[in-house]
């Protein structure tokens, strides 16, 4: 049996469910060439286990010759070994090998929208209201491993009790992605004290700013309506360009009047310039952040 588990980060939920069916599991990382070779050797070696063994290839998107791997799996037959190919693909259009795997196995799990999957996981592991669940996700983010660790921590305190923010005061840890996202929003549309930003977040903030201004640049070029219903209809034509839920794009479009199209483009160039200067050793990371934030403030409408 061959599993092809692909899609967003929350696919790990499905992988964990599959792993529960096995006691003998071997895991290899495709991003490490020597481990990929070990994976290939492992699927051809005679199994020493009496029970079915699961062999997992993590980060399969790093395999340089995926077509060769697919051809190998087409010929694969072993009653004692099952294979799980773990392939990260953020969007449907990037999951280019899905059809190839459909031809060789029906055991395909493709996660393109993780909202329902994460909601179900939280519901199964916490006694929590929908309102509290939304608030919790807004705090801890949507990274499965972070959610899993957080829930484990909460249940040590809650035991079998209903979830309560009051009972978990001081125990809830915001995800790093959530912290970076909040800082990026404040830089773009409010104010931020650079001295209070942890240096470990600098590069994440730079990448986040570039991504957000890139989206703003596209929106500013399209000049979509700021009226919700009109925007929703107009956005339907361009949703494949943005790969964002229309409501997320609508919220970004509402703030677009804080910048001109010309200034957005200048900010993008400035981010690239400062990142390049940092990577070449001309400036340190704190000066890079200072230069970028100062330039954004200079080109932001009050």
């Amino acid at each position: 049996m061959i599993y092809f588990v692909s899609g967003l980060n929350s696919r790990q939920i499905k992988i964990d469910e599959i792993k529960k069916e096995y006691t003998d599991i071997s895991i290899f990382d495709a991003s490490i060439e020597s481990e990929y070779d070990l994976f290939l050797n492992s699927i051809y070696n005679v199994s020493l286990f009496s029970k079915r063994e699961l062999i997992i290839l993590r980060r399969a998107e790093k395999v340089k010759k995926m077509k060769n791997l697919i051809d190998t799996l087409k010929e694969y037959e072993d009653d004692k070994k099952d294979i799980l190919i773990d392939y990260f693909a953020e969007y449907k259009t990037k999951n280019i090998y899905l059809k190839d795997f459909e031809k060789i196995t029906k055991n395909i799990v493709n996660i393109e929208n993780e909202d329902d999957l994460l909601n179900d996981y939280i519901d199964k592991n916490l006694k929590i209201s929908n309102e509290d669940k939304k608030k919790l996700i807004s705090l801890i983010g949507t990274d499965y491993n972070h959610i899993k660790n957080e829930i484990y921590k909460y249940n040590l305190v809650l035991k079998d009790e209903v979830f309560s923010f009051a009972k978990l005061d001081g125990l809830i840890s915001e995800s790093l992605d959530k912290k970076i996202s909040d800082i990026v929003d404040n830089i773009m549309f409010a104010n931020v004290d650079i001295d209070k930003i942890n240096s470990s977040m600098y590069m994440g903030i730079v990448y986040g700013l570039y991504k957000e201004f890139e989206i703003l640049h596209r929106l500013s070029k399209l000049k979509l309506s700021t009226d919700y219903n009109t925007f929703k209809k107009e956005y339907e034509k361009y949703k494949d360009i943005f790969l964002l839920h229309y409501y997320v794009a609508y919220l970004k479009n509402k703030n677009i009047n804080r910048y001109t199209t010309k200034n957005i483009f200048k900010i993008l160039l400035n981010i690239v310039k400062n990142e390049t200067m940092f990577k070449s050793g001309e400036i340190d990371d704190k000066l890079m952040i200072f230069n970028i934030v100062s330039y954004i403030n200079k080109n932001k409408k009050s």
Side-chain angles (χ1 to χ4, degrees), residues 41-282:
N41 289 333
S42 179
I43 64 176
Y44 285 118
N45 288 340
V46 177
S47 178
L48 300 176
F49 299 109
S50 57
K51 297 180 181 178
R52 294 184 71 81
E53 179 186 4
L54 179 65
I55 302 173
I56 300 175
L57 182 65
R58 301 296 306 273
R59 302 185 188 179
E61 69 277 3
K62 301 294 184 182
V63 174
K64 294 177 181 177
K65 296 181 179 179
M66 179 59 79
K67 290 287 187 181
N68 289 355
L69 173 60
I70 292 170
D71 288 340
T72 298
L73 295 176
K74 282 180 184 176
E75 307 298 324
Y76 180 78
E77 287 184 19
D78 191 324
D79 292 336
K80 287 191 174 183
K81 291 182 182 180
D82 294 339
I83 297 172
L84 190 153
I85 305 298
D86 174 23
Y87 187 98
F88 172 75
E90 190 171 358
Y91 305 116
K92 184 177 181 179
T93 52
K94 291 188 178 182
N95 199 343
I96 58 177
Y97 298 109
L98 188 58
K99 289 184 179 179
D100 292 300
F101 274 91
E102 285 173 346
K103 293 175 183 177
I104 63 173
T105 177
K106 293 182 180 178
N107 300 301
I108 291 176
V109 179
N110 185 42
I111 310 300
E112 292 175 5
N113 186 328
E114 59 187 355
D115 292 347
D116 290 342
L117 196 59
L118 290 172
N119 282 328
D120 288 346
Y121 179 80
I122 293 171
D123 286 336
K124 286 178 183 176
N125 290 279
L126 285 176
K127 293 180 178 178
I128 188 170
S129 68
N130 286 332
E131 185 178 347
D132 280 349
K133 182 170 58 179
K134 288 178 183 177
K135 184 178 178 182
L136 180 64
I137 291 174
S138 74
L139 290 171
I140 66 175
T142 56
D143 179 78
Y144 166 64
N145 287 319
H146 184 66
I147 289 175
K148 182 180 178 181
N149 292 335
E150 285 292 295
I151 288 177
Y152 174 77
K153 187 170 59 175
Y154 306 157
N155 281 328
L156 291 176
V157 175
L158 294 171
K159 308 293 183 188
D160 203 35
E161 295 179 23
V162 174
F163 179 92
S164 164
F165 283 101
K167 293 173 186 174
L168 299 170
D169 186 37
L171 199 64
I172 295 174
S173 304
E174 281 190 345
S175 70
L176 182 60
D177 287 346
K178 174 68 168 55
K179 291 177 182 177
I180 289 174
S181 177
D182 287 345
I183 292 171
V184 167
D185 280 347
N186 285 334
I187 290 171
M188 293 177 70
F189 303 113
N191 294 298
V192 66
D193 185 346
I194 298 173
D195 292 328
K196 291 183 179 179
I197 299 175
N198 191 302
S199 60
S200 64
M201 299 183 187
Y202 285 169
M203 289 311 299
I205 291 168
V206 171
Y207 295 143
L209 284 168
Y210 188 88
K211 180 180 177 181
E212 291 300 313
F213 276 107
E214 190 176 39
I215 292 169
L216 278 191
H217 188 252
R218 291 175 184 173
L219 287 169
S220 69
K221 285 283 190 179
L222 292 172
K223 300 188 184 305
L224 302 179
S225 173
T226 53
D227 173 73
Y228 175 77
N229 291 322
T230 306
F231 176 87
K232 187 176 179 181
K233 291 177 183 176
E234 293 175 343
Y235 183 73
E236 188 66 24
K237 304 174 191 175
Y238 307 106
K239 62 182 181 181
D240 290 337
I241 298 174
F242 293 96
L243 300 170
L244 288 173
H245 188 276
Y246 74 86
Y247 187 68
V248 176
Y250 167 72
L251 292 177
K252 295 180 188 298
N253 194 59
K254 276 182 68 176
N255 291 315
I256 206 163
N257 60 356
R258 298 294 301 276
Y259 299 92
T260 65
T261 302
K262 181 179 178 181
N263 283 353
I264 292 171
F265 186 65
K266 285 165 61 179
I267 288 168
L268 284 169
L269 292 178
N270 182 264
I271 292 172
V272 172
K273 174 186 172 183
N274 278 280
E275 183 189 355
T276 302
M277 289 172 67
F278 165 67
K279 288 182 175 178
S280 65
E282 294 177 58

